[in-house]
Amino acid sequence: MSDPAPLTIDNPGQVASTAPPAPGRSRRLSDRGLAVAFISPAMLLLLAMSVFPLLWSLYLSFTDYSATRGGPANFIGFGNYTAILTSAQVHTRALTTLIYVIGAVGLQTVLGFGIAYLISRRTHGRGVLTTLFLVPMMLSPVVVGLFWRFMLDAQFGVVNSMLGSVGLGQVEWLTRQRTALISLIVVDTWQWTPFIMLIALAGLSAVPKYLYEAASIDRASEWFRFRTITLPLVWPLLLIAVMFRAIEAFRLFDLVYILTNGGPGVSTETLSFHIYKVAFLGFNTGTASAYGILMVLVVIVLTQFYLRYLNKLKEG
Amino acid sequence: MAVSVDEAVSTGSARDHTPPARRLGGRGRSVLEVALLTVLAVVMLFPVLWMIETSIKENRDVYAIPAKFFDFTITLDHYKDVFVAPDGGRSALSVSFLNSVVVAGVSTVLATVLGVPAAWAYSRFAVKAKKDQLFFILSTRFMPPVVVVIPIFLMYRQVGLIDNKLGLILIYAAFNVPFTIWMMKGFVDEVPAEYEDAAMLDGYTRLQAFRRFTLPLLVPGIAATAVFALIFSWNEFVFATFLTSSDSVRTAPPAIAGLIGGTTTDWGLVAASSVVFALPVLVFAYLVRKHLIAGVTLGAVRR
């Protein structure tokens, strides 16, 4: 059995010791070796921890394997996939996720851009203001979820307490079907508006001042300036932020898990949360894998859009 | 309203840098904007302030109806409870904080050691299908954690990495490597390749040129990148909660979340542990504020 040529040079020192470099051919060769030696460890980790698990998931998705029952995995073809795609339960979760993504990302965009616009018009205290606004974004979803759960508590929550003191009725934020999803959207908006704001602010500060000056010489109205100068110049960057948030919101799990645990009923169960229930509470590992693979496909499509767009923006 | 109030506005503290066109709204509008910003800032910051306030309230004040905003008794008991168990020993929470430090720290070192050389190689060399490789690397970072955790769970069960710090360290490193590569590639791109070429003309090998000339220039970038990786690992919840179970391994996020499992919840303790947990993140985030945009977009956007 002949040894195949090594795919990687596992010991970078090997390359280093090929001193002194004769110019030309051998230097190019050693560059190539160096590139492989430097990239492959990271790639190996990704292959082991991201690609291999996904391939295993792909395999399991065609079987009726259950992690608790054990036993052999029987091949059942596309059974899991048809079951998921035709399940009314899944459709409900897809709708919930869609409402959540559109609601939360929409609100964040409007608010984030609004705040960024207001901050960009200030000349003083911009740094302080920006820093203060950014705090929620840096917090762990665990902290955010727990804390809002406390604040939104129907009995002793501070939100209802404030509503009461201005004479408004009490709201069961997390325990009513309709308000629970709204609460989820509000909390996510609270945490991630700073994200959009940060990127919008970067876009707004990059708009060249002379454009505004030229427009004001032409006595263009404020709205006209906003529509023809500000928005077109900031929009590409803003769209990056929006797409990024949309992907993140689509994957959302931890906030739901902490804030509402999917309830009341199933009113705040997102797709991610449903997968968790199928996999870890229902122990239908095969079904959950198929479910996960479908979700990964959606994420891959969204990511492709995002990266293509990002690339276009960088080159343009 | 927008008629020639430019004078009025510019008397307000030095608005000289504002282009004239923006002054049209006048002072009334400016006041309105400041007021609006203030209200928004208060709304955004209130939950954080409320959390800090709750953490230093006595229990009866925590559950007071209507809520007490100012007239409460200050106590540090909740903070004591975070670190000290009722019997005087170390509390489970303090152990989980230590675990978090170990897991986040080691996984960050691992991601940095693997990611920085790769970023340099991607920046300097003509790698085959470079763009596709970079896209693939970033895509792995976008995978939903809940989906990845199912096969990872089965995999770890086979090799005995369930409820093991090493298991968490590996998966966190794998999630931070794409970020490190993308973020660091930006920093490496900013260092002219000519430095290395010049060093190589002087007889250094490519690797020596990297180590002696490029690497020192990258240190601030590496520090910023590592801080972000540290924050991501520190805050991570999904893998931590599904892959660990015992108190001696569990990191802080699932430990804090575990505080609300029982029949009654000690919200003062939840608040105090949340503050202790969030404080280092905020300090670190402040240190890397210059790179925040690149950091939170996984190195994709940099201005």
Side-chain angles (χ1 to χ4, degrees), chain A residues 27 31 49 53 67 121 138 140 161 190 216 222 225 251 276 315, chain B residues 21 29 33 44 67 131 142-143 151 156-157 200 206-207 235 242:
Chain A
R27 189 179 121 193
D31 275 3
M49 304 297 293
R121 294 170 60 87
M138 303 314 298
S140 168
S161 179
W190 177 78
S216 78
E222 171 118 24
R225 282 206 308 270
R251 319 186 300 171
Y276 147 73
E315 282 165 1
Chain B
R29 177 167 163 183
E33 282 181 7
M44 293 304 275
K131 210 173 266 175
F142 280 111
M143 291 301 127
Y156 277 12
R157 206 170 59 171
M200 283 161 72
R206 176 69 91 164
L207 191 67
N235 280 347
F242 288 121

PDB file of all heavy atoms in Angstrom, chain A residues 27 31 49 53 67 121 138 140 161 190 216 222 225 251 276 315, chain B residues 21 29 33 44 67 131 142-143 151 156-157 200 206-207 235 242:
ATOM      1  N   ARG A  27      10.465  29.248  -3.239  1.00  0.00           N
ATOM      2  CA  ARG A  27       9.764  30.143  -2.333  1.00  0.00           C
ATOM      3  C   ARG A  27       8.252  30.019  -2.547  1.00  0.00           C
ATOM      4  O   ARG A  27       7.481  29.985  -1.626  1.00  0.00           O
ATOM      5  CB  ARG A  27      10.208  31.573  -2.593  1.00  0.00           C
ATOM      6  CG  ARG A  27       9.681  32.523  -1.530  1.00  0.00           C
ATOM      7  CD  ARG A  27      10.148  33.924  -1.793  1.00  0.00           C
ATOM      8  NE  ARG A  27       9.024  34.801  -1.956  1.00  0.00           N
ATOM      9  CZ  ARG A  27       9.141  36.032  -2.437  1.00  0.00           C
ATOM     10  NH1 ARG A  27      10.298  36.492  -2.825  1.00  0.00           N
ATOM     11  NH2 ARG A  27       8.088  36.789  -2.547  1.00  0.00           N
ATOM     12  N   ASP A  31       5.504  28.835   0.149  1.00  0.00           N
ATOM     13  CA  ASP A  31       4.311  29.640   0.424  1.00  0.00           C
ATOM     14  C   ASP A  31       3.073  28.773   0.444  1.00  0.00           C
ATOM     15  O   ASP A  31       2.228  28.877   1.323  1.00  0.00           O
ATOM     16  CB  ASP A  31       4.135  30.707  -0.667  1.00  0.00           C
ATOM     17  CG  ASP A  31       4.953  31.945  -0.342  1.00  0.00           C
ATOM     18  OD1 ASP A  31       5.662  31.910   0.682  1.00  0.00           O
ATOM     19  OD2 ASP A  31       4.868  32.913  -1.106  1.00  0.00           O
ATOM     20  N   MET A  49     -16.376  19.646  13.852  1.00  0.00           N
ATOM     21  CA  MET A  49     -17.406  20.129  14.761  1.00  0.00           C
ATOM     22  C   MET A  49     -18.632  20.723  14.063  1.00  0.00           C
ATOM     23  O   MET A  49     -19.648  20.958  14.703  1.00  0.00           O
ATOM     24  CB  MET A  49     -16.822  21.183  15.704  1.00  0.00           C
ATOM     25  CG  MET A  49     -15.631  20.722  16.506  1.00  0.00           C
ATOM     26  SD  MET A  49     -16.009  19.353  17.629  1.00  0.00           S
ATOM     27  CE  MET A  49     -17.095  20.167  18.777  1.00  0.00           C
ATOM     28  N   PRO A  53     -20.995  16.737  12.062  1.00  0.00           N
ATOM     29  CA  PRO A  53     -22.296  16.628  12.739  1.00  0.00           C
ATOM     30  C   PRO A  53     -23.476  16.818  11.791  1.00  0.00           C
ATOM     31  O   PRO A  53     -24.473  16.111  11.881  1.00  0.00           O
ATOM     32  CB  PRO A  53     -22.249  17.744  13.781  1.00  0.00           C
ATOM     33  CG  PRO A  53     -20.824  17.950  14.046  1.00  0.00           C
ATOM     34  CD  PRO A  53     -20.119  17.683  12.750  1.00  0.00           C
ATOM     35  N   ALA A  67     -32.808   8.632  20.048  1.00  0.00           N
ATOM     36  CA  ALA A  67     -31.622   8.659  20.903  1.00  0.00           C
ATOM     37  C   ALA A  67     -31.838   7.907  22.206  1.00  0.00           C
ATOM     38  O   ALA A  67     -30.891   7.415  22.810  1.00  0.00           O
ATOM     39  CB  ALA A  67     -31.219  10.104  21.190  1.00  0.00           C
ATOM     40  N   ARG A 121     -27.539  63.729  14.268  1.00  0.00           N
ATOM     41  CA  ARG A 121     -27.786  65.172  14.181  1.00  0.00           C
ATOM     42  C   ARG A 121     -27.200  65.921  15.373  1.00  0.00           C
ATOM     43  O   ARG A 121     -27.159  67.144  15.373  1.00  0.00           O
ATOM     44  CB  ARG A 121     -29.276  65.441  14.079  1.00  0.00           C
ATOM     45  CG  ARG A 121     -29.876  64.925  12.773  1.00  0.00           C
ATOM     46  CD  ARG A 121     -31.366  64.988  12.810  1.00  0.00           C
ATOM     47  NE  ARG A 121     -31.847  66.342  13.001  1.00  0.00           N
ATOM     48  CZ  ARG A 121     -32.058  67.200  12.013  1.00  0.00           C
ATOM     49  NH1 ARG A 121     -31.867  66.825  10.771  1.00  0.00           N
ATOM     50  NH2 ARG A 121     -32.490  68.415  12.255  1.00  0.00           N
ATOM     51  N   MET A 138     -25.089  43.822  24.307  1.00  0.00           N
ATOM     52  CA  MET A 138     -23.968  43.036  24.792  1.00  0.00           C
ATOM     53  C   MET A 138     -24.376  42.019  25.860  1.00  0.00           C
ATOM     54  O   MET A 138     -23.590  41.182  26.247  1.00  0.00           O
ATOM     55  CB  MET A 138     -22.878  43.960  25.365  1.00  0.00           C
ATOM     56  CG  MET A 138     -22.336  45.001  24.406  1.00  0.00           C
ATOM     57  SD  MET A 138     -21.952  44.376  22.767  1.00  0.00           S
ATOM     58  CE  MET A 138     -20.675  43.182  23.148  1.00  0.00           C
ATOM     59  N   SER A 140     -26.170  38.822  27.691  1.00  0.00           N
ATOM     60  CA  SER A 140     -26.502  37.458  27.288  1.00  0.00           C
ATOM     61  C   SER A 140     -28.014  37.317  27.181  1.00  0.00           C
ATOM     62  O   SER A 140     -28.752  37.904  27.964  1.00  0.00           O
ATOM     63  CB  SER A 140     -25.966  36.483  28.332  1.00  0.00           C
ATOM     64  OG  SER A 140     -26.500  35.213  28.113  1.00  0.00           O
ATOM     65  N   SER A 161     -46.871  47.508  37.168  1.00  0.00           N
ATOM     66  CA  SER A 161     -46.909  48.474  38.256  1.00  0.00           C
ATOM     67  C   SER A 161     -46.949  49.901  37.707  1.00  0.00           C
ATOM     68  O   SER A 161     -47.709  50.737  38.173  1.00  0.00           O
ATOM     69  CB  SER A 161     -45.687  48.272  39.150  1.00  0.00           C
ATOM     70  OG  SER A 161     -45.692  49.219  40.187  1.00  0.00           O
ATOM     71  N   TRP A 190     -35.972  45.276  22.077  1.00  0.00           N
ATOM     72  CA  TRP A 190     -35.180  45.996  23.080  1.00  0.00           C
ATOM     73  C   TRP A 190     -33.711  45.611  22.982  1.00  0.00           C
ATOM     74  O   TRP A 190     -32.832  46.453  23.003  1.00  0.00           O
ATOM     75  CB  TRP A 190     -35.717  45.707  24.482  1.00  0.00           C
ATOM     76  CG  TRP A 190     -34.896  46.364  25.541  1.00  0.00           C
ATOM     77  CD1 TRP A 190     -34.941  47.682  25.894  1.00  0.00           C
ATOM     78  CD2 TRP A 190     -33.896  45.758  26.368  1.00  0.00           C
ATOM     79  NE1 TRP A 190     -34.028  47.928  26.892  1.00  0.00           N
ATOM     80  CE2 TRP A 190     -33.370  46.772  27.203  1.00  0.00           C
ATOM     81  CE3 TRP A 190     -33.393  44.471  26.486  1.00  0.00           C
ATOM     82  CZ2 TRP A 190     -32.373  46.522  28.134  1.00  0.00           C
ATOM     83  CZ3 TRP A 190     -32.394  44.229  27.417  1.00  0.00           C
ATOM     84  CH2 TRP A 190     -31.896  45.238  28.232  1.00  0.00           C
ATOM     85  N   SER A 216     -28.394  72.104   0.135  1.00  0.00           N
ATOM     86  CA  SER A 216     -28.980  73.260   0.804  1.00  0.00           C
ATOM     87  C   SER A 216     -28.790  74.518  -0.028  1.00  0.00           C
ATOM     88  O   SER A 216     -29.571  75.454   0.053  1.00  0.00           O
ATOM     89  CB  SER A 216     -28.396  73.429   2.206  1.00  0.00           C
ATOM     90  OG  SER A 216     -27.127  74.020   2.113  1.00  0.00           O
ATOM     91  N   GLU A 222     -35.998  69.374   3.454  1.00  0.00           N
ATOM     92  CA  GLU A 222     -35.391  68.371   4.332  1.00  0.00           C
ATOM     93  C   GLU A 222     -35.767  66.959   3.900  1.00  0.00           C
ATOM     94  O   GLU A 222     -34.938  66.064   3.817  1.00  0.00           O
ATOM     95  CB  GLU A 222     -35.874  68.632   5.764  1.00  0.00           C
ATOM     96  CG  GLU A 222     -35.487  67.533   6.716  1.00  0.00           C
ATOM     97  CD  GLU A 222     -34.573  68.047   7.798  1.00  0.00           C
ATOM     98  OE1 GLU A 222     -34.619  69.254   8.060  1.00  0.00           O
ATOM     99  OE2 GLU A 222     -33.835  67.234   8.366  1.00  0.00           O
ATOM    100  N   ARG A 225     -33.939  65.970   0.833  1.00  0.00           N
ATOM    101  CA  ARG A 225     -32.551  65.605   1.138  1.00  0.00           C
ATOM    102  C   ARG A 225     -32.478  64.209   1.726  1.00  0.00           C
ATOM    103  O   ARG A 225     -31.623  63.405   1.367  1.00  0.00           O
ATOM    104  CB  ARG A 225     -31.962  66.615   2.130  1.00  0.00           C
ATOM    105  CG  ARG A 225     -31.548  67.906   1.526  1.00  0.00           C
ATOM    106  CD  ARG A 225     -30.445  68.557   2.357  1.00  0.00           C
ATOM    107  NE  ARG A 225     -30.797  68.658   3.764  1.00  0.00           N
ATOM    108  CZ  ARG A 225     -31.419  69.687   4.302  1.00  0.00           C
ATOM    109  NH1 ARG A 225     -31.757  70.714   3.535  1.00  0.00           N
ATOM    110  NH2 ARG A 225     -31.690  69.722   5.581  1.00  0.00           N
ATOM    111  N   ARG A 251     -33.188  31.928  13.680  1.00  0.00           N
ATOM    112  CA  ARG A 251     -32.629  30.827  14.465  1.00  0.00           C
ATOM    113  C   ARG A 251     -32.998  30.900  15.938  1.00  0.00           C
ATOM    114  O   ARG A 251     -32.602  30.051  16.719  1.00  0.00           O
ATOM    115  CB  ARG A 251     -31.093  30.847  14.441  1.00  0.00           C
ATOM    116  CG  ARG A 251     -30.439  31.158  13.152  1.00  0.00           C
ATOM    117  CD  ARG A 251     -28.947  30.990  13.273  1.00  0.00           C
ATOM    118  NE  ARG A 251     -28.360  31.885  14.288  1.00  0.00           N
ATOM    119  CZ  ARG A 251     -27.104  31.802  14.685  1.00  0.00           C
ATOM    120  NH1 ARG A 251     -26.316  30.897  14.183  1.00  0.00           N
ATOM    121  NH2 ARG A 251     -26.630  32.627  15.588  1.00  0.00           N
ATOM    122  N   TYR A 276     -36.256  21.605  19.222  1.00  0.00           N
ATOM    123  CA  TYR A 276     -35.794  21.198  20.553  1.00  0.00           C
ATOM    124  C   TYR A 276     -36.803  20.252  21.206  1.00  0.00           C
ATOM    125  O   TYR A 276     -36.431  19.225  21.778  1.00  0.00           O
ATOM    126  CB  TYR A 276     -35.561  22.449  21.412  1.00  0.00           C
ATOM    127  CG  TYR A 276     -35.858  22.273  22.880  1.00  0.00           C
ATOM    128  CD1 TYR A 276     -35.011  21.528  23.700  1.00  0.00           C
ATOM    129  CD2 TYR A 276     -36.989  22.865  23.453  1.00  0.00           C
ATOM    130  CE1 TYR A 276     -35.285  21.377  25.044  1.00  0.00           C
ATOM    131  CE2 TYR A 276     -37.268  22.721  24.786  1.00  0.00           C
ATOM    132  CZ  TYR A 276     -36.417  21.972  25.589  1.00  0.00           C
ATOM    133  OH  TYR A 276     -36.704  21.814  26.908  1.00  0.00           O
ATOM    134  N   GLU A 315     -17.300  45.204  -3.313  1.00  0.00           N
ATOM    135  CA  GLU A 315     -16.640  45.455  -4.586  1.00  0.00           C
ATOM    136  C   GLU A 315     -17.088  46.772  -5.206  1.00  0.00           C
ATOM    137  O   GLU A 315     -16.332  47.449  -5.852  1.00  0.00           O
ATOM    138  CB  GLU A 315     -16.916  44.295  -5.548  1.00  0.00           C
ATOM    139  CG  GLU A 315     -16.038  43.101  -5.237  1.00  0.00           C
ATOM    140  CD  GLU A 315     -16.519  41.844  -5.909  1.00  0.00           C
ATOM    141  OE1 GLU A 315     -17.522  41.902  -6.641  1.00  0.00           O
ATOM    142  OE2 GLU A 315     -15.895  40.796  -5.695  1.00  0.00           O
TER     143      GLU A 315
ATOM    144  N   ALA B  21     -27.549  73.476   6.330  1.00  0.00           N
ATOM    145  CA  ALA B  21     -28.802  72.913   5.852  1.00  0.00           C
ATOM    146  C   ALA B  21     -29.586  72.234   6.958  1.00  0.00           C
ATOM    147  O   ALA B  21     -30.793  72.141   6.899  1.00  0.00           O
ATOM    148  CB  ALA B  21     -28.512  71.912   4.751  1.00  0.00           C
ATOM    149  N   ARG B  29     -37.319  72.359  17.301  1.00  0.00           N
ATOM    150  CA  ARG B  29     -37.122  71.012  16.800  1.00  0.00           C
ATOM    151  C   ARG B  29     -35.943  70.337  17.482  1.00  0.00           C
ATOM    152  O   ARG B  29     -35.986  69.165  17.832  1.00  0.00           O
ATOM    153  CB  ARG B  29     -36.884  71.079  15.300  1.00  0.00           C
ATOM    154  CG  ARG B  29     -36.607  69.735  14.782  1.00  0.00           C
ATOM    155  CD  ARG B  29     -36.669  69.706  13.316  1.00  0.00           C
ATOM    156  NE  ARG B  29     -36.004  68.492  12.892  1.00  0.00           N
ATOM    157  CZ  ARG B  29     -35.831  68.182  11.636  1.00  0.00           C
ATOM    158  NH1 ARG B  29     -36.259  68.991  10.708  1.00  0.00           N
ATOM    159  NH2 ARG B  29     -35.231  67.072  11.330  1.00  0.00           N
ATOM    160  N   GLU B  33     -35.951  66.906  19.559  1.00  0.00           N
ATOM    161  CA  GLU B  33     -35.098  65.756  19.248  1.00  0.00           C
ATOM    162  C   GLU B  33     -34.342  65.289  20.471  1.00  0.00           C
ATOM    163  O   GLU B  33     -34.229  64.093  20.728  1.00  0.00           O
ATOM    164  CB  GLU B  33     -34.112  66.130  18.142  1.00  0.00           C
ATOM    165  CG  GLU B  33     -34.757  66.124  16.778  1.00  0.00           C
ATOM    166  CD  GLU B  33     -33.770  66.472  15.686  1.00  0.00           C
ATOM    167  OE1 GLU B  33     -32.567  66.582  15.978  1.00  0.00           O
ATOM    168  OE2 GLU B  33     -34.221  66.630  14.543  1.00  0.00           O
ATOM    169  N   MET B  44     -34.420  52.397  26.978  1.00  0.00           N
ATOM    170  CA  MET B  44     -33.432  51.358  26.711  1.00  0.00           C
ATOM    171  C   MET B  44     -32.659  50.979  27.971  1.00  0.00           C
ATOM    172  O   MET B  44     -32.276  49.836  28.154  1.00  0.00           O
ATOM    173  CB  MET B  44     -32.433  51.834  25.646  1.00  0.00           C
ATOM    174  CG  MET B  44     -33.009  52.018  24.266  1.00  0.00           C
ATOM    175  SD  MET B  44     -33.804  50.543  23.626  1.00  0.00           S
ATOM    176  CE  MET B  44     -32.404  49.688  22.932  1.00  0.00           C
ATOM    177  N   ALA B  67     -44.423  48.901  42.681  1.00  0.00           N
ATOM    178  CA  ALA B  67     -42.975  48.763  42.732  1.00  0.00           C
ATOM    179  C   ALA B  67     -42.324  49.967  43.403  1.00  0.00           C
ATOM    180  O   ALA B  67     -42.783  51.098  43.251  1.00  0.00           O
ATOM    181  CB  ALA B  67     -42.433  48.605  41.313  1.00  0.00           C
ATOM    182  N   LYS B 131     -12.583  32.572  -2.080  1.00  0.00           N
ATOM    183  CA  LYS B 131     -13.856  33.190  -1.719  1.00  0.00           C
ATOM    184  C   LYS B 131     -14.854  32.141  -1.232  1.00  0.00           C
ATOM    185  O   LYS B 131     -15.522  32.339  -0.227  1.00  0.00           O
ATOM    186  CB  LYS B 131     -14.414  33.934  -2.945  1.00  0.00           C
ATOM    187  CG  LYS B 131     -15.248  35.136  -2.578  1.00  0.00           C
ATOM    188  CD  LYS B 131     -15.631  35.941  -3.795  1.00  0.00           C
ATOM    189  CE  LYS B 131     -14.660  37.069  -4.053  1.00  0.00           C
ATOM    190  NZ  LYS B 131     -14.963  37.783  -5.307  1.00  0.00           N
ATOM    191  N   PHE B 142     -23.370  30.451  10.979  1.00  0.00           N
ATOM    192  CA  PHE B 142     -24.796  30.799  10.960  1.00  0.00           C
ATOM    193  C   PHE B 142     -25.716  29.613  11.244  1.00  0.00           C
ATOM    194  O   PHE B 142     -26.925  29.762  11.253  1.00  0.00           O
ATOM    195  CB  PHE B 142     -25.174  31.430   9.616  1.00  0.00           C
ATOM    196  CG  PHE B 142     -24.803  32.874   9.513  1.00  0.00           C
ATOM    197  CD1 PHE B 142     -23.812  33.306   8.663  1.00  0.00           C
ATOM    198  CD2 PHE B 142     -25.445  33.818  10.298  1.00  0.00           C
ATOM    199  CE1 PHE B 142     -23.464  34.645   8.577  1.00  0.00           C
ATOM    200  CE2 PHE B 142     -25.111  35.156  10.221  1.00  0.00           C
ATOM    201  CZ  PHE B 142     -24.119  35.571   9.360  1.00  0.00           C
ATOM    202  N   MET B 143     -25.167  28.435  11.405  1.00  0.00           N
ATOM    203  CA  MET B 143     -26.006  27.266  11.677  1.00  0.00           C
ATOM    204  C   MET B 143     -26.793  27.464  12.971  1.00  0.00           C
ATOM    205  O   MET B 143     -26.247  27.926  13.960  1.00  0.00           O
ATOM    206  CB  MET B 143     -25.137  26.011  11.816  1.00  0.00           C
ATOM    207  CG  MET B 143     -24.486  25.575  10.527  1.00  0.00           C
ATOM    208  SD  MET B 143     -25.710  25.238   9.286  1.00  0.00           S
ATOM    209  CE  MET B 143     -25.132  26.263   7.956  1.00  0.00           C
ATOM    210  N   PRO B 151     -26.774  16.351  16.654  1.00  0.00           N
ATOM    211  CA  PRO B 151     -25.684  15.418  16.326  1.00  0.00           C
ATOM    212  C   PRO B 151     -24.484  15.550  17.256  1.00  0.00           C
ATOM    213  O   PRO B 151     -23.825  14.557  17.559  1.00  0.00           O
ATOM    214  CB  PRO B 151     -25.300  15.779  14.893  1.00  0.00           C
ATOM    215  CG  PRO B 151     -25.840  17.122  14.665  1.00  0.00           C
ATOM    216  CD  PRO B 151     -27.049  17.261  15.521  1.00  0.00           C
ATOM    217  N   TYR B 156     -20.857  13.386  21.140  1.00  0.00           N
ATOM    218  CA  TYR B 156     -20.210  13.497  22.449  1.00  0.00           C
ATOM    219  C   TYR B 156     -20.555  12.302  23.331  1.00  0.00           C
ATOM    220  O   TYR B 156     -19.754  11.864  24.148  1.00  0.00           O
ATOM    221  CB  TYR B 156     -20.639  14.799  23.146  1.00  0.00           C
ATOM    222  CG  TYR B 156     -19.851  16.011  22.714  1.00  0.00           C
ATOM    223  CD1 TYR B 156     -19.019  15.968  21.597  1.00  0.00           C
ATOM    224  CD2 TYR B 156     -19.920  17.203  23.427  1.00  0.00           C
ATOM    225  CE1 TYR B 156     -18.307  17.079  21.206  1.00  0.00           C
ATOM    226  CE2 TYR B 156     -19.205  18.318  23.044  1.00  0.00           C
ATOM    227  CZ  TYR B 156     -18.400  18.257  21.937  1.00  0.00           C
ATOM    228  OH  TYR B 156     -17.685  19.359  21.550  1.00  0.00           O
ATOM    229  N   ARG B 157     -21.782  11.779  23.166  1.00  0.00           N
ATOM    230  CA  ARG B 157     -22.174  10.635  23.978  1.00  0.00           C
ATOM    231  C   ARG B 157     -21.297   9.437  23.643  1.00  0.00           C
ATOM    232  O   ARG B 157     -20.933   8.652  24.512  1.00  0.00           O
ATOM    233  CB  ARG B 157     -23.656  10.299  23.731  1.00  0.00           C
ATOM    234  CG  ARG B 157     -24.305   9.600  24.898  1.00  0.00           C
ATOM    235  CD  ARG B 157     -25.792   9.504  24.715  1.00  0.00           C
ATOM    236  NE  ARG B 157     -26.150   8.788  23.497  1.00  0.00           N
ATOM    237  CZ  ARG B 157     -27.394   8.416  23.210  1.00  0.00           C
ATOM    238  NH1 ARG B 157     -28.367   8.715  24.040  1.00  0.00           N
ATOM    239  NH2 ARG B 157     -27.664   7.766  22.101  1.00  0.00           N
ATOM    240  N   MET B 200      11.764  39.520   3.493  1.00  0.00           N
ATOM    241  CA  MET B 200      12.243  38.325   2.808  1.00  0.00           C
ATOM    242  C   MET B 200      13.419  38.645   1.900  1.00  0.00           C
ATOM    243  O   MET B 200      14.306  37.808   1.699  1.00  0.00           O
ATOM    244  CB  MET B 200      11.092  37.674   2.037  1.00  0.00           C
ATOM    245  CG  MET B 200      10.166  36.917   2.981  1.00  0.00           C
ATOM    246  SD  MET B 200       8.567  36.614   2.282  1.00  0.00           S
ATOM    247  CE  MET B 200       8.946  35.372   1.092  1.00  0.00           C
ATOM    248  N   ARG B 206       9.499  33.356   4.920  1.00  0.00           N
ATOM    249  CA  ARG B 206       8.160  33.906   4.988  1.00  0.00           C
ATOM    250  C   ARG B 206       7.609  33.837   6.418  1.00  0.00           C
ATOM    251  O   ARG B 206       7.037  34.780   6.934  1.00  0.00           O
ATOM    252  CB  ARG B 206       7.270  33.111   4.020  1.00  0.00           C
ATOM    253  CG  ARG B 206       5.815  33.477   4.035  1.00  0.00           C
ATOM    254  CD  ARG B 206       5.544  34.840   3.461  1.00  0.00           C
ATOM    255  NE  ARG B 206       5.270  34.830   2.056  1.00  0.00           N
ATOM    256  CZ  ARG B 206       4.711  35.862   1.418  1.00  0.00           C
ATOM    257  NH1 ARG B 206       4.377  36.950   2.065  1.00  0.00           N
ATOM    258  NH2 ARG B 206       4.509  35.805   0.127  1.00  0.00           N
ATOM    259  N   LEU B 207       7.863  32.701   7.056  1.00  0.00           N
ATOM    260  CA  LEU B 207       7.347  32.506   8.406  1.00  0.00           C
ATOM    261  C   LEU B 207       8.004  33.463   9.394  1.00  0.00           C
ATOM    262  O   LEU B 207       7.340  34.058  10.242  1.00  0.00           O
ATOM    263  CB  LEU B 207       7.584  31.060   8.840  1.00  0.00           C
ATOM    264  CG  LEU B 207       6.853  30.644  10.119  1.00  0.00           C
ATOM    265  CD1 LEU B 207       5.357  30.619   9.894  1.00  0.00           C
ATOM    266  CD2 LEU B 207       7.332  29.279  10.583  1.00  0.00           C
ATOM    267  N   ASN B 235     -21.326  34.391  26.895  1.00  0.00           N
ATOM    268  CA  ASN B 235     -22.782  34.569  26.859  1.00  0.00           C
ATOM    269  C   ASN B 235     -23.535  33.351  26.350  1.00  0.00           C
ATOM    270  O   ASN B 235     -24.753  33.287  26.455  1.00  0.00           O
ATOM    271  CB  ASN B 235     -23.140  35.758  25.948  1.00  0.00           C
ATOM    272  CG  ASN B 235     -22.958  37.095  26.643  1.00  0.00           C
ATOM    273  OD1 ASN B 235     -22.799  37.156  27.857  1.00  0.00           O
ATOM    274  ND2 ASN B 235     -22.986  38.165  25.873  1.00  0.00           N
ATOM    275  N   PHE B 242     -27.495  22.118  26.975  1.00  0.00           N
ATOM    276  CA  PHE B 242     -27.778  20.762  26.503  1.00  0.00           C
ATOM    277  C   PHE B 242     -26.604  19.811  26.690  1.00  0.00           C
ATOM    278  O   PHE B 242     -26.794  18.604  26.737  1.00  0.00           O
ATOM    279  CB  PHE B 242     -28.186  20.769  25.032  1.00  0.00           C
ATOM    280  CG  PHE B 242     -29.554  21.339  24.829  1.00  0.00           C
ATOM    281  CD1 PHE B 242     -29.747  22.438  24.016  1.00  0.00           C
ATOM    282  CD2 PHE B 242     -30.655  20.778  25.466  1.00  0.00           C
ATOM    283  CE1 PHE B 242     -31.008  22.975  23.841  1.00  0.00           C
ATOM    284  CE2 PHE B 242     -31.914  21.306  25.294  1.00  0.00           C
ATOM    285  CZ  PHE B 242     -32.089  22.405  24.483  1.00  0.00           C
TER     286      PHE B 242
END
